Amino acid sequence: MSMTSRELWTVIHGMGLGAIFLLAFAGGLAGLYSLRPELVTPQGMRERLPRLISGTWIMALAAWGTVITGTYIVYPWYRARPPEGTADLRAYPRSFLLADENLQAWHTFGMEWKEHVAWFSPILAMVVAFIVLRYGAQIAENPFLRKAVIVLFVLAFAAAGIAGLFGAFITKAAPLL
């Protein structure tokens, strides 16, 4: 079994950093949802809060790592222009998708989502991590703040999840060789 450097970077981007973010979401959501005075004792709050703070920061950093490796390492390979007269476009995923009318939407919608909307994920995840660090136990005392943090957290997950789904389908339609 061997991997090219391109395959290795796509694994780091999607199955490594991206998967860390997406898989940790359920734990973070459960932590935020149950951060209520009626559900957690003061002793339980002291035990949970450091874990929630570190978890949200790890998720934010994983989200940043995912979009940075995707944008600056993997994406340039995807966008590479084929030399004039190249008939076999399989080594040029963007051109390969755009050349086929049945595959164009993977680039015009799917990749555009990955290029632009997916950047909201680390921004929102960082906002959540900052709020959890800054306000800590006050989140449990303020239902509006807790709900706002949960909404931001879910939006970060949705942006990343949809981008990850598009990434998997685009890679299936036009793999990076």
Side-chain angles (χ1 to χ4, degrees), residues 75-144:
Y75 187 64
W77 295 326
Y78 170 84
R79 276 190 83 87
R81 292 191 183 274
E84 280 295 320
T86 302
D88 184 4
L89 298 173
R90 286 180 294 174
Y92 305 95
R94 179 182 177 272
S95 299
F96 179 79
L97 293 175
L98 291 174
D100 186 335
E101 209 171 275
N102 295 322
L103 300 176
Q104 286 178 350
W106 288 119
H107 174 76
T108 57
F109 185 75
M111 196 49 127
E112 292 298 324
W113 180 284
K114 288 178 65 66
E115 290 176 45
H116 304 289
V117 178
W119 275 90
F120 284 106
S121 181
I123 294 167
L124 293 171
M126 186 68 98
V127 168
V128 169
F130 177 78
I131 291 171
V132 170
L133 177 67
R134 170 70 177 83
Y135 293 99
Q138 293 176 38
I139 296 171
E141 305 296 330
N142 186 336
F144 176 78

Side-chain angles (χ1 to χ4, degrees), residues 21-83:
F21 177 79
L22 295 175
L23 292 174
F25 173 76
L29 183 62
L32 289 169
Y33 179 81
S34 65
L35 200 62
R36 304 170 186 211
E38 66 268 20
L39 298 178
V40 182
T41 63
Q43 184 180 2
M45 188 72 72
R46 282 191 298 274
E47 184 270 330
R48 272 188 192 189
L49 213 45
R51 189 175 54 224
L52 188 59
I53 290 169
S54 62
T56 54
W57 278 97
I58 289 169
M59 289 180 65
L61 294 174
W64 279 112
T66 304
V67 296
I68 288 171
T69 58
T71 300
Y72 297 108
I73 297 174
V74 177
Y75 187 64
W77 295 326
Y78 170 84
R79 276 190 83 87
R81 292 191 183 274

